[in-house]
Amino acid sequence: MAALLPVLLASSHLLLVADRVPQLNIEPSCAAAAHAAVSLNRTEDNCKQEEYTARTKLTQEWDKYGSKERAHCTELSTLGGLPSYVELLTCLEMEQATKNLPASNGKAGDLLMR
């Protein structure tokens, strides 16, 4: 039983993290985006504004996403050391959209034929 204690504590911590919008450090993401920008209008400040807008939307809509999707997308959006609220929001929107896809009968290209 004592060996399970760290697992139980870690899993409860993960659930708490998924219950609220995570605090992300967007500085590295925006610096990298501005450095790699092809457009002259893509600045670090523009990136930060997009990130703050995405965070605001996430804060307003966080509860409409399932905890499993929130945890999965939070993990994906923080991989590689460049966390992004825009990526987190996009992931959650895609997860939600896939739930609304029509059921497939298993044939390849079924969705393309509709």
Side-chain angles (χ1 to χ4, degrees), residues 64-83:
K64 83 176 193 180
Y65 303 109
S67 60
K68 191 175 188 180
E69 288 81 13
R70 292 188 306 234
H72 173 74
C73 289
T74 298
E75 182 180 354
L76 287 178
S77 66
T78 57
L79 286 176
L82 297 174

Side-chain angles (χ1 to χ4, degrees), residues 18-19 24 29 32 35 44 46-47 53 75 79 96 105 114:
D19 285 342
L24 302 179
S29 299
H35 181 71
E44 195 167 337
N46 294 72
C47 174
T53 300
E75 182 180 354
L79 286 176
Q96 189 173 44
N105 65 6
R114 293 184 181 180

Side-chain angles (χ1 to χ4, degrees), residues 101-114:
L101 289 174
S104 172
N105 65 6
K107 292 182 187 174
D110 183 51
L111 292 175
L112 297 175
M113 302 302 281
R114 293 184 181 180

